[in-house]
Amino acid sequence: MPRPTSESLRSLALLGLLALPAAFPATARAQNQVSTNGAAAKGDLLAEEGYVTPPEAIAKLVTAPRDKNASFTSPSPGARQYFMRTLSDGLPSLKYVGKAHHNLGGLQIDQQGNRERALTMRSTAGIDVTEWATGKRIPVTIPVGARVGAPVWSPDGTQIAFFALYDDATQLYVADAATGKSRPVSPRTVLATTITQPEWTADGVSIVTVLVPDGRGPEPKEPVLASGPMVRLNESNKLKTRTYADLVMTPFEKELLTYHMNGQLAVVNTKTKAVRKIGAPGLIRSIDASPDAQYFKVTYVEKPFSYALPVVSYGARDVVLDASGAVVKEVAKRPLRESDDPSDPMAARGRASVDTSKRDIRFHPFAPGLLYTQVAPVAARGRAGAGNGAAPAAAAPAAPAAAPARADSAAAARRNDRLMHWKAPFDSGSATVLYETANRITATRFNDAGTILFVTESGTAGTFEQAVFLTENNAKYTVVTPRRGADTTQVRGGFGGRQPDGLITRPGRKGVPVVMVSTDGKFVFRTGTAPDTAKVQNTWVEKIEIKTGSLSRMYESDGSIVETISAPLDDDFSKAVVQRESATLLPQSYVLTLATKDAKQLTQNVDLMPELSAAVKKNIVARRADGYTFNVKVTLPAGYKDGTRLPAMFWFYPYEYDNQAAYDRAATQNAQRDRRYATYGPRSLAFLVTQGYAVVEPDAPIFASEGQLPNDNYVADLRNNLSAVIDALDTLAIVDRHRLGLGGHSYGAFSTVNAMVHTPFFKAGIAGDGAYNRTLTPNGFQSERRDIWAGRQTYLDMSPFLYADQLNGALLMYHSTEDQNVGTDPINSTRMYHALMGLGKTTSLYMYPYEDHGPIAKETVLDQWGRWVAWLDKYVKNANAPKKPSAM
């Protein structure tokens, strides 16, 4: 049976709205106005079939111009002169979200634009460049009729490549950073269905991409009549899979997927516009070009396709092509993975093969050939470099005293790990050992000169960093020693990212990240935060002498505000971009001179939501009857007076923990967010404070009991958590416990409906994109790894569908018709609505066309808010508290 089209899904969505109970009385519309033409509609907003809008106070927050506030975090490569920023024009409209597309095996394809659907939906209106030293803003010229996707700096930071996204094509453009002028670099149409970003060559002259093949015919058309039944066959093979959305369903869809994945690998010269085609078109999933674009590692998807698993699980072949497109070497071949169950024998064999297979295969950035890591063959024990065709190598230098010892027998029995340099023709005799260690290699990087190899190693004593001087006979020095469990220092590396070792990296001259080394070649750097008192953390920058490991602190903040070191602006870390903020101070970016602590402000961000900045915020600890404690975040309207009981809306998402200590560790890390300035997305429930509600966001820990898994206590813990929160807020006279609502998205929606069928606490609920019947996810869900046959009672207890007759309160459900999330097929909501309707419960269901797991279209988000507010006002805010019995 063919999959429903977008139009038929829209019709189903409207049918869902038409199925609302006719008993809904008309309600006061207040500020709520309907819809597509802005005219007021007659009747009940909750039953309105067109798109509606919420009260003006909330519509203003949803559509706030968030793009006006900037955050400069990543300077351009090379001289680090510029910052690039894409310019958003707000939430995407239905024009982009609803554009015709295919969902095929986990790929979403804008077939008219020849690109991944996400590029269309999340495209931006433009690009600008800021020269930080002068403050000069340089707008990039965008071609008329196009939007922007995937901008990428050239390795020297002087140019920006981007996709110009037209309705019917995707074109490759390059802009000059100093002037903003852009130009098309090829008349050929890009095929961006799987390769969604341009890749520069190291010289900054050419771009590697995938093009629409020559002579490609029209898109295949679905047969008017099916050629046969949908065939599925399994003969005694135990092949467990999760419940994936929009898998390839028919032979026609296999043909359609082939058409949209089949692309031509090409190198485009940005100066001459010459196109060099590499090999024949193929089903390309990923590409990696050598710095000089003379070799290409390409991953091709292989047939047969699967009806049970998405494209990422299909068979694949990794090959190395030369500049003519000839296959030089097949690097790896992976069969179709028929199961994603970790206990499956095929999966187990895959894990075992990791021990001897080539890992992290990539091109060497500073020498011809590939790099990969691999455990040394058994025959190589005692004679480094032998076996696997590798040329003999000198024994690895002895680890310095600071390196972790390997005293235990299990560790001693492990074979060495190696970094191999594999040169053309990539045969069994062309690989040599670049570095070897008794520990496990988890990451390798170079300095920008390519003379020092930095190796992150994992041993029995922990994770540490070695520096190997390739031009000094592989002299090795321990730069970072293992961190102990008691060390609470948080170490960060990269441009605002985390690295295993914490060493700062930056974009290198060859277009790949490199470890930043001082201009005299002696030092590397790292940044981090360390506790100063119980309430503040200081941010610091340290330099480490490579050959001695000695540390010196270059800078330390006073901890009065939250400071994030975003990126250094020179290799000696004399200047850096920092962001400063607090719970009451807007985030702003600065250029910091570390030696003097002088700071030049780069941004002029403004408070876009003063009504939320003025809201009263409280953090409360709730204690359950069984002794467990957890945190509750409460947001109250501006001007709130203590002792005022408000109608409240709870919004939550439970997580599983082994014990109280595990929860406390996570809570401590999360508490640091409270020191930062609060920001709010378009669907933040905090907006409800403008409507007179208390917004309650409780943690909801599900704990494991002795001899049990956390989910075995799910229902009881859910009930105990919510009861504890209500009691705490009632004792503080914050909420009216007779006017409470509850909601959540995805697993939070699932938990919302569970709470409403197992507790009497809530007058109304809002549940979005959830799963309500665990028999529909029989092979596992969320953190539950047992299948339904191993955990039958838990699956049944956690299925609110089976307790629908016990629903307390009015339940509003919403679901995206194209929900791609594993385990939350829209059938959950349609069947739940059907059951509740048959039971005479008060419920509604809104099915949003075109949306995925979490709506993004402006019209959809506004519509949701309009219906949420109407629902809560009707069933929570205006709910009558039970009358007290009259005195006798």
Side-chain angles (χ1 to χ4, degrees), residues 365-392:
F366 301 103
L370 290 160
L371 294 172
Y372 64 86
T373 50
Q374 186 179 43
V375 172
V378 174
R381 291 186 57 78
R383 52 188 188 94
N388 194 39

PDB file of all heavy atoms in Angstrom, residues 365-392:
ATOM      1  N   PRO A 365      46.968  14.966   7.317  1.00  0.00           N
ATOM      2  CA  PRO A 365      46.881  16.360   6.873  1.00  0.00           C
ATOM      3  C   PRO A 365      48.204  16.939   6.375  1.00  0.00           C
ATOM      4  O   PRO A 365      48.199  17.953   5.671  1.00  0.00           O
ATOM      5  CB  PRO A 365      46.402  17.096   8.124  1.00  0.00           C
ATOM      6  CG  PRO A 365      46.818  16.243   9.269  1.00  0.00           C
ATOM      7  CD  PRO A 365      46.773  14.835   8.761  1.00  0.00           C
ATOM      8  N   PHE A 366      49.339  16.301   6.722  1.00  0.00           N
ATOM      9  CA  PHE A 366      50.633  16.909   6.402  1.00  0.00           C
ATOM     10  C   PHE A 366      51.550  16.014   5.561  1.00  0.00           C
ATOM     11  O   PHE A 366      52.682  16.392   5.291  1.00  0.00           O
ATOM     12  CB  PHE A 366      51.355  17.299   7.694  1.00  0.00           C
ATOM     13  CG  PHE A 366      50.571  18.267   8.527  1.00  0.00           C
ATOM     14  CD1 PHE A 366      49.884  17.845   9.644  1.00  0.00           C
ATOM     15  CD2 PHE A 366      50.500  19.601   8.165  1.00  0.00           C
ATOM     16  CE1 PHE A 366      49.141  18.740  10.407  1.00  0.00           C
ATOM     17  CE2 PHE A 366      49.763  20.511   8.916  1.00  0.00           C
ATOM     18  CZ  PHE A 366      49.075  20.078  10.040  1.00  0.00           C
ATOM     19  N   ALA A 367      51.096  14.864   5.182  1.00  0.00           N
ATOM     20  CA  ALA A 367      51.898  13.952   4.361  1.00  0.00           C
ATOM     21  C   ALA A 367      50.954  13.143   3.483  1.00  0.00           C
ATOM     22  O   ALA A 367      49.797  12.927   3.830  1.00  0.00           O
ATOM     23  CB  ALA A 367      52.739  13.026   5.252  1.00  0.00           C
ATOM     24  N   PRO A 368      51.441  12.677   2.340  1.00  0.00           N
ATOM     25  CA  PRO A 368      50.576  11.863   1.474  1.00  0.00           C
ATOM     26  C   PRO A 368      50.154  10.578   2.192  1.00  0.00           C
ATOM     27  O   PRO A 368      50.932   9.968   2.926  1.00  0.00           O
ATOM     28  CB  PRO A 368      51.470  11.559   0.273  1.00  0.00           C
ATOM     29  CG  PRO A 368      52.523  12.620   0.295  1.00  0.00           C
ATOM     30  CD  PRO A 368      52.766  12.921   1.732  1.00  0.00           C
ATOM     31  N   GLY A 369      48.908  10.157   1.958  1.00  0.00           N
ATOM     32  CA  GLY A 369      48.446   8.888   2.502  1.00  0.00           C
ATOM     33  C   GLY A 369      47.399   9.036   3.590  1.00  0.00           C
ATOM     34  O   GLY A 369      46.960  10.142   3.935  1.00  0.00           O
ATOM     35  N   LEU A 370      47.013   7.901   4.145  1.00  0.00           N
ATOM     36  CA  LEU A 370      45.979   7.818   5.164  1.00  0.00           C
ATOM     37  C   LEU A 370      46.602   7.537   6.526  1.00  0.00           C
ATOM     38  O   LEU A 370      47.721   7.019   6.637  1.00  0.00           O
ATOM     39  CB  LEU A 370      45.001   6.696   4.829  1.00  0.00           C
ATOM     40  CG  LEU A 370      44.078   6.899   3.631  1.00  0.00           C
ATOM     41  CD1 LEU A 370      43.539   5.559   3.152  1.00  0.00           C
ATOM     42  CD2 LEU A 370      42.929   7.841   3.990  1.00  0.00           C
ATOM     43  N   LEU A 371      45.851   7.853   7.559  1.00  0.00           N
ATOM     44  CA  LEU A 371      46.176   7.460   8.923  1.00  0.00           C
ATOM     45  C   LEU A 371      45.071   6.549   9.427  1.00  0.00           C
ATOM     46  O   LEU A 371      43.901   6.719   9.067  1.00  0.00           O
ATOM     47  CB  LEU A 371      46.269   8.682   9.841  1.00  0.00           C
ATOM     48  CG  LEU A 371      47.393   9.679   9.579  1.00  0.00           C
ATOM     49  CD1 LEU A 371      47.191  10.911  10.467  1.00  0.00           C
ATOM     50  CD2 LEU A 371      48.752   9.053   9.845  1.00  0.00           C
ATOM     51  N   TYR A 372      45.425   5.589  10.252  1.00  0.00           N
ATOM     52  CA  TYR A 372      44.411   4.817  10.959  1.00  0.00           C
ATOM     53  C   TYR A 372      45.034   4.245  12.223  1.00  0.00           C
ATOM     54  O   TYR A 372      46.265   4.152  12.362  1.00  0.00           O
ATOM     55  CB  TYR A 372      43.817   3.699  10.082  1.00  0.00           C
ATOM     56  CG  TYR A 372      44.782   2.620   9.647  1.00  0.00           C
ATOM     57  CD1 TYR A 372      45.039   1.505  10.458  1.00  0.00           C
ATOM     58  CD2 TYR A 372      45.411   2.682   8.405  1.00  0.00           C
ATOM     59  CE1 TYR A 372      45.915   0.506  10.043  1.00  0.00           C
ATOM     60  CE2 TYR A 372      46.279   1.691   7.991  1.00  0.00           C
ATOM     61  CZ  TYR A 372      46.531   0.597   8.811  1.00  0.00           C
ATOM     62  OH  TYR A 372      47.396  -0.391   8.412  1.00  0.00           O
ATOM     63  N   THR A 373      44.194   3.884  13.173  1.00  0.00           N
ATOM     64  CA  THR A 373      44.668   3.204  14.376  1.00  0.00           C
ATOM     65  C   THR A 373      44.230   1.756  14.313  1.00  0.00           C
ATOM     66  O   THR A 373      43.183   1.429  13.747  1.00  0.00           O
ATOM     67  CB  THR A 373      44.130   3.872  15.654  1.00  0.00           C
ATOM     68  OG1 THR A 373      42.722   4.036  15.535  1.00  0.00           O
ATOM     69  CG2 THR A 373      44.771   5.214  15.883  1.00  0.00           C
ATOM     70  N   GLN A 374      45.047   0.887  14.934  1.00  0.00           N
ATOM     71  CA  GLN A 374      44.766  -0.548  14.881  1.00  0.00           C
ATOM     72  C   GLN A 374      45.565  -1.262  15.973  1.00  0.00           C
ATOM     73  O   GLN A 374      46.721  -0.923  16.233  1.00  0.00           O
ATOM     74  CB  GLN A 374      45.142  -1.115  13.515  1.00  0.00           C
ATOM     75  CG  GLN A 374      44.763  -2.573  13.312  1.00  0.00           C
ATOM     76  CD  GLN A 374      45.136  -3.063  11.917  1.00  0.00           C
ATOM     77  OE1 GLN A 374      46.214  -2.766  11.420  1.00  0.00           O
ATOM     78  NE2 GLN A 374      44.231  -3.797  11.276  1.00  0.00           N
ATOM     79  N   VAL A 375      44.926  -2.225  16.586  1.00  0.00           N
ATOM     80  CA  VAL A 375      45.623  -3.052  17.562  1.00  0.00           C
ATOM     81  C   VAL A 375      46.652  -3.902  16.830  1.00  0.00           C
ATOM     82  O   VAL A 375      46.381  -4.453  15.758  1.00  0.00           O
ATOM     83  CB  VAL A 375      44.621  -3.946  18.322  1.00  0.00           C
ATOM     84  CG1 VAL A 375      45.351  -4.951  19.206  1.00  0.00           C
ATOM     85  CG2 VAL A 375      43.682  -3.090  19.159  1.00  0.00           C
ATOM     86  N   ALA A 376      47.850  -3.997  17.416  1.00  0.00           N
ATOM     87  CA  ALA A 376      48.927  -4.755  16.785  1.00  0.00           C
ATOM     88  C   ALA A 376      48.549  -6.225  16.668  1.00  0.00           C
ATOM     89  O   ALA A 376      47.925  -6.795  17.569  1.00  0.00           O
ATOM     90  CB  ALA A 376      50.209  -4.610  17.595  1.00  0.00           C
ATOM     91  N   PRO A 377      48.909  -6.870  15.562  1.00  0.00           N
ATOM     92  CA  PRO A 377      48.621  -8.304  15.419  1.00  0.00           C
ATOM     93  C   PRO A 377      49.324  -9.104  16.512  1.00  0.00           C
ATOM     94  O   PRO A 377      50.333  -8.690  17.077  1.00  0.00           O
ATOM     95  CB  PRO A 377      49.188  -8.635  14.036  1.00  0.00           C
ATOM     96  CG  PRO A 377      49.275  -7.337  13.318  1.00  0.00           C
ATOM     97  CD  PRO A 377      49.553  -6.310  14.370  1.00  0.00           C
ATOM     98  N   VAL A 378      48.810 -10.303  16.777  1.00  0.00           N
ATOM     99  CA  VAL A 378      49.385 -11.164  17.815  1.00  0.00           C
ATOM    100  C   VAL A 378      50.843 -11.453  17.517  1.00  0.00           C
ATOM    101  O   VAL A 378      51.698 -11.440  18.398  1.00  0.00           O
ATOM    102  CB  VAL A 378      48.595 -12.485  17.918  1.00  0.00           C
ATOM    103  CG1 VAL A 378      49.281 -13.441  18.877  1.00  0.00           C
ATOM    104  CG2 VAL A 378      47.161 -12.205  18.331  1.00  0.00           C
ATOM    105  N   ALA A 379      51.175 -11.665  16.255  1.00  0.00           N
ATOM    106  CA  ALA A 379      52.551 -12.018  15.890  1.00  0.00           C
ATOM    107  C   ALA A 379      53.526 -10.907  16.172  1.00  0.00           C
ATOM    108  O   ALA A 379      54.733 -11.124  16.225  1.00  0.00           O
ATOM    109  CB  ALA A 379      52.612 -12.391  14.417  1.00  0.00           C
ATOM    110  N   ALA A 380      53.029  -9.689  16.381  1.00  0.00           N
ATOM    111  CA  ALA A 380      53.925  -8.555  16.556  1.00  0.00           C
ATOM    112  C   ALA A 380      54.384  -8.384  17.977  1.00  0.00           C
ATOM    113  O   ALA A 380      55.224  -7.552  18.264  1.00  0.00           O
ATOM    114  CB  ALA A 380      53.237  -7.279  16.100  1.00  0.00           C
ATOM    115  N   ARG A 381      53.870  -9.183  18.923  1.00  0.00           N
ATOM    116  CA  ARG A 381      54.272  -9.003  20.317  1.00  0.00           C
ATOM    117  C   ARG A 381      55.763  -9.284  20.453  1.00  0.00           C
ATOM    118  O   ARG A 381      56.282 -10.308  20.035  1.00  0.00           O
ATOM    119  CB  ARG A 381      53.484  -9.940  21.228  1.00  0.00           C
ATOM    120  CG  ARG A 381      52.013  -9.552  21.327  1.00  0.00           C
ATOM    121  CD  ARG A 381      51.291 -10.409  22.350  1.00  0.00           C
ATOM    122  NE  ARG A 381      51.899 -10.323  23.667  1.00  0.00           N
ATOM    123  CZ  ARG A 381      51.726  -9.299  24.493  1.00  0.00           C
ATOM    124  NH1 ARG A 381      51.010  -8.285  24.115  1.00  0.00           N
ATOM    125  NH2 ARG A 381      52.299  -9.297  25.682  1.00  0.00           N
ATOM    126  N   GLY A 382      56.451  -8.330  21.032  1.00  0.00           N
ATOM    127  CA  GLY A 382      57.881  -8.481  21.252  1.00  0.00           C
ATOM    128  C   GLY A 382      58.728  -7.967  20.102  1.00  0.00           C
ATOM    129  O   GLY A 382      59.926  -7.861  20.223  1.00  0.00           O
ATOM    130  N   ARG A 383      58.095  -7.670  18.939  1.00  0.00           N
ATOM    131  CA  ARG A 383      58.882  -7.089  17.858  1.00  0.00           C
ATOM    132  C   ARG A 383      58.012  -6.061  17.136  1.00  0.00           C
ATOM    133  O   ARG A 383      57.313  -6.342  16.187  1.00  0.00           O
ATOM    134  CB  ARG A 383      59.396  -8.146  16.884  1.00  0.00           C
ATOM    135  CG  ARG A 383      58.336  -9.093  16.345  1.00  0.00           C
ATOM    136  CD  ARG A 383      58.993 -10.226  15.529  1.00  0.00           C
ATOM    137  NE  ARG A 383      57.992 -11.045  14.850  1.00  0.00           N
ATOM    138  CZ  ARG A 383      57.608 -10.822  13.601  1.00  0.00           C
ATOM    139  NH1 ARG A 383      58.084  -9.807  12.942  1.00  0.00           N
ATOM    140  NH2 ARG A 383      56.724 -11.623  13.027  1.00  0.00           N
ATOM    141  N   ALA A 384      58.072  -4.859  17.630  1.00  0.00           N
ATOM    142  CA  ALA A 384      57.210  -3.784  17.144  1.00  0.00           C
ATOM    143  C   ALA A 384      57.388  -3.580  15.649  1.00  0.00           C
ATOM    144  O   ALA A 384      58.490  -3.664  15.117  1.00  0.00           O
ATOM    145  CB  ALA A 384      57.530  -2.486  17.875  1.00  0.00           C
ATOM    146  N   GLY A 385      56.265  -3.325  15.008  1.00  0.00           N
ATOM    147  CA  GLY A 385      56.296  -2.986  13.589  1.00  0.00           C
ATOM    148  C   GLY A 385      56.102  -4.156  12.676  1.00  0.00           C
ATOM    149  O   GLY A 385      55.905  -3.986  11.490  1.00  0.00           O
ATOM    150  N   ALA A 386      56.158  -5.410  13.160  1.00  0.00           N
ATOM    151  CA  ALA A 386      56.003  -6.562  12.283  1.00  0.00           C
ATOM    152  C   ALA A 386      54.545  -6.904  12.135  1.00  0.00           C
ATOM    153  O   ALA A 386      53.722  -6.563  12.941  1.00  0.00           O
ATOM    154  CB  ALA A 386      56.767  -7.753  12.850  1.00  0.00           C
ATOM    155  N   GLY A 387      54.228  -7.656  11.092  1.00  0.00           N
ATOM    156  CA  GLY A 387      52.855  -8.102  10.875  1.00  0.00           C
ATOM    157  C   GLY A 387      52.049  -7.056  10.148  1.00  0.00           C
ATOM    158  O   GLY A 387      52.369  -5.874  10.106  1.00  0.00           O
ATOM    159  N   ASN A 388      50.959  -7.498   9.510  1.00  0.00           N
ATOM    160  CA  ASN A 388      50.021  -6.629   8.822  1.00  0.00           C
ATOM    161  C   ASN A 388      50.686  -5.805   7.733  1.00  0.00           C
ATOM    162  O   ASN A 388      50.244  -4.728   7.382  1.00  0.00           O
ATOM    163  CB  ASN A 388      49.330  -5.689   9.833  1.00  0.00           C
ATOM    164  CG  ASN A 388      48.108  -5.024   9.217  1.00  0.00           C
ATOM    165  OD1 ASN A 388      47.377  -5.663   8.469  1.00  0.00           O
ATOM    166  ND2 ASN A 388      47.889  -3.761   9.535  1.00  0.00           N
ATOM    167  N   GLY A 389      51.819  -6.280   7.253  1.00  0.00           N
ATOM    168  CA  GLY A 389      52.467  -5.559   6.170  1.00  0.00           C
ATOM    169  C   GLY A 389      53.175  -4.304   6.603  1.00  0.00           C
ATOM    170  O   GLY A 389      53.654  -3.544   5.777  1.00  0.00           O
ATOM    171  N   ALA A 390      53.238  -4.028   7.898  1.00  0.00           N
ATOM    172  CA  ALA A 390      53.848  -2.794   8.355  1.00  0.00           C
ATOM    173  C   ALA A 390      55.359  -2.917   8.332  1.00  0.00           C
ATOM    174  O   ALA A 390      55.925  -3.950   8.652  1.00  0.00           O
ATOM    175  CB  ALA A 390      53.390  -2.484   9.774  1.00  0.00           C
ATOM    176  N   ALA A 391      56.003  -1.835   7.981  1.00  0.00           N
ATOM    177  CA  ALA A 391      57.460  -1.828   8.002  1.00  0.00           C
ATOM    178  C   ALA A 391      57.932  -1.807   9.436  1.00  0.00           C
ATOM    179  O   ALA A 391      57.300  -1.233  10.305  1.00  0.00           O
ATOM    180  CB  ALA A 391      57.963  -0.589   7.265  1.00  0.00           C
ATOM    181  N   PRO A 392      59.081  -2.464   9.740  1.00  0.00           N
ATOM    182  CA  PRO A 392      59.587  -2.460  11.104  1.00  0.00           C
ATOM    183  C   PRO A 392      59.817  -1.035  11.586  1.00  0.00           C
ATOM    184  O   PRO A 392      60.213  -0.164  10.833  1.00  0.00           O
ATOM    185  CB  PRO A 392      60.907  -3.225  11.000  1.00  0.00           C
ATOM    186  CG  PRO A 392      60.759  -4.054   9.771  1.00  0.00           C
ATOM    187  CD  PRO A 392      59.924  -3.251   8.828  1.00  0.00           C
TER     188      PRO A 392
END
